[in-house]
Amino acid sequence: METPQFGLSTLSRLGLGCEQLGGTDWGKFDIQQAMQTVRHASDCGINVFDTADVYGLGSSEELLSRSLGQNRKRAFIISKCGIRWEAAKHGRARTFRDASAAYVTQAVESSLRRLRLETISAYLVHWPDPKTPIAETIEALESCRQAGKIRFIGVSNFSANQLQDASTAARLDFAEVRYNLLEREAETRLFPLCRQLGIAVAVYGPLAQGLLSGKYDSDSRFGSDDRRHRLPQFQPQALERNLKTVRRLQMVGRRIGYSPAQVAISWILAHPAVSCVIAGAKSPQQLMENAGALKGKLQTRDRAYLNGEIENL
Ligand SMILES: NC(=O)c1ccc[n+]([C@@H]2O[C@H](COP(=O)([O-])OP(=O)(O)OC[C@H]3O[C@@H](n4cnc5c(N)ncnc54)[C@H](OP(=O)(O)O)[C@@H]3O)[C@@H](O)[C@H]2O)c1
C-alpha cells in the first residue's frame, strides 16, 4: 500500500468513512458488521478513519473508538465539528451550523471524551458557518492545537476563496473535499490551491454514495430512512445521465479486472492533489473490494475514456 508521509504520521491512501457507523440516514444497517469493518480495516493496515461529532449525534465517534480499542491511539482519526444538533423525540434531529470559537472549543472536548483520546490526529471545520468569521474558527482550532488537543487542523466543504481566507489565520494541514467522477468542481481551483499551500486533500464520497459501485440502476428504490431517496444524483433524469458513467466504469473494469468501485477509487487516487480517499463501507467485503483499488492498474487511455475525452477504449 502506497503511504505518503504526513507530518509525523504515515497515512494509508484509503481511509474508512465512518459516517455509516452513526447508523442514521443510510438505510439498511448492521451495527455489528459496521464495527467489524472498522476492526478489519485496522488489521489490514488502513489507518485513516473519518468521523464527525454530528454523525449519529456522537455515536459514530463513540463506536469508532470502541471498535478500534487500543488501536485508536495509533490510528489517524479525522473528526469534525461545526454542526450543532438538537435531538428530537421523533424523526430527525434539528441541525444548524455553529463554528464560533466557543462552540469549537467545547466540541473538541466532547470529541476527545467520545473518542477516549488525549489528542485527536486531525480536527476540521465541517462546513463554513456564514455567521462566524473564518479567522475566529481557525484561531480556535489553532489554540486547541497549541494546547496539544489536536495535531493537525483543517477545513471541509470550503470553496477555494474560503480556504484562502482560512489559511491566513493559521497553517492548515487538511482539506476534506467531495470529489468523484460525477463531481469534479474541485479540479479547477481548489486542488491547485491546496497544492500551492501544501494542504493535504482527503476526498470523500468517492462512489457518489454507492452509485458508482454499479449496483444501482433506474429501478432501484430507497426508503425514507436512506438519504439516497433525496440525493440529486439518484433522481431519475440525473440518474440516467450518471448511469452512462457507470457503464464506462464497467467497461474499464472488465478490461483490467477491477470492479466499478475499484475503478472509481483508482481514478481519484491518480490525481496528484489527492493524499487519501475516504470511502464509506458497511461491511468488510465492501472495504476489501475498495482496498483492491490501491493496486493502481489504470492506464492513461482508461482515464481518458472515463473523463469522456475519447469514445472508445
Ligand atoms: N466532510 C463531509 O462533509 C462529508 C460528507 C459526507 C461523507 N463524508 C465522509 O466520507 C465518507 C464516505 O463518503 P460517503 O459515505 O458519503 O460515500 P461513498 O464512500 O461514495 O459511498 C459509500 C457507500 O457506498 C456503498 N459501497 C461502498 N463500497 C462499496 C462496494 N465496494 N460495493 C458496493 N457498494 C459499496 C455503501 O452503501 P450501500 O451498501 O448501502 O450502497 C457505502 O455506505 C463518509 O463515511 C464520511 O466519513 C464526509
Side-chain angles (χ1 to χ4, degrees):
M1 199 178 280
E2 203 183 329
T3 51
Q5 291 298 314
F6 186 75
L8 295 174
S9 303
T10 303
L11 302 193
S12 52
R13 292 211 74 202
L14 183 73
L16 178 64
C18 297
E19 185 176 14
Q20 286 74 356
L21 205 54
T24 45
D25 213 19
W26 268 103
K28 198 164 160 287
F29 174 79
D30 177 339
I31 190 81
Q32 293 307 327
Q33 207 174 37
M35 290 177 74
Q36 203 189 331
T37 308
V38 171
R39 286 190 286 269
H40 198 70
S42 177
D43 290 346
C44 294
I46 290 173
N47 61 8
V48 178
F49 296 86
D50 180 74
T51 182
D53 58 357
V54 72
Y55 295 165
L57 312 183
S59 66
S60 169
E61 286 184 331
E62 278 170 3
L63 288 178
L64 173 61
S65 172
R66 201 164 354 132
S67 308
L68 286 170
Q70 285 302 316
N71 285 339
R72 72 189 185 280
K73 296 177 185 163
R74 291 180 282 278
F76 193 96
I77 295 178
I78 304 172
S79 194
K80 318 184 238 350
C81 76
I83 302 179
R84 290 180 83 140
W85 64 87
E86 281 167 7
K89 275 209 176 117
H90 305 289
R92 297 179 65 195
R94 187 176 88 85
T95 56
F96 52 100
R97 296 188 195 182
D98 183 353
S100 62
Y103 185 65
V104 166
T105 309
Q106 176 193 322
V108 169
E109 295 299 336
S110 303
S111 290
L112 282 167
R113 180 175 42 75
R114 284 188 291 261
L115 289 164
R116 295 180 299 138
L117 289 171
E118 286 170 8
T119 306
I120 303 172
S121 306
Y123 210 68
L124 321 182
V125 196
H126 204 153
W127 284 87
D129 167 16
K131 294 189 299 309
T132 305
I134 287 175
E136 175 182 329
T137 308
I138 301 300
E139 282 162 15
L141 284 175
E142 178 61 22
S143 300
C144 294
R145 169 160 53 192
Q146 303 278 333
K149 295 176 182 186
I150 308 171
R151 284 174 63 209
F152 299 104
I153 66 176
V155 298
S156 160
N157 299 303
F158 273 39
S159 68
N161 287 347
Q162 289 163 335
L163 184 81
Q164 186 96 58
D165 277 1
S167 68
T168 58
R171 177 177 57 81
L172 296 183
D173 307 296
F174 250 108
E176 197 165 300
V177 179
R178 183 165 60 213
Y179 180 63
N180 58 56
L181 256 172
L182 304 174
E183 298 174 285
R184 300 178 54 178
E185 295 81 354
E187 288 172 6
T188 320
R189 291 193 55 217
L190 199 55
F191 282 175
L193 184 63
C194 287
R195 293 192 81 186
Q196 183 195 324
L197 297 174
I199 296 173
V201 170
V203 161
Y204 77 82
L207 301 178
Q209 287 71 45
L211 175 52
L212 298 178
S213 73
K215 69 181 174 189
Y216 297 117
D217 61 24
S218 40
D219 295 328
S220 303
R221 297 288 174 270
F222 298 100
S224 58
D225 63 345
D226 190 323
R227 67 189 59 197
R228 289 171 287 197
H229 81 277
R230 61 173 189 273
L231 289 181
Q233 69 267 32
F234 286 94
Q235 302 313 311
Q237 260 191 344
L239 185 59
E240 278 315 310
R241 217 175 30 249
N242 295 337
L243 288 174
K244 291 186 187 144
T245 303
V246 172
R247 283 193 279 280
R248 287 193 179 232
L249 289 165
Q250 287 164 333
M251 286 290 284
V252 172
R254 270 197 285 277
R255 194 188 74 71
I256 60 176
Y258 262 11
S259 70
Q262 290 171 326
V263 178
I265 292 172
S266 261
W267 177 85
I268 297 171
L269 285 168
H271 196 293
V274 175
S275 295
C276 173
V277 171
I278 295 162
K282 287 177 168 173
S283 65
Q285 288 75 15
Q286 287 185 347
L287 171 86
M288 290 317 290
E289 180 179 330
N290 298 342
L294 293 164
K295 291 188 205 112
K297 291 184 188 170
L298 281 193
Q299 293 179 0
T300 310
R301 191 168 177 81
D302 299 322
R303 281 201 295 276
Y305 180 66
L306 293 168
N307 291 341
E309 291 155 16
I310 54 173
E311 281 311 311
N312 296 299
L313 253 190

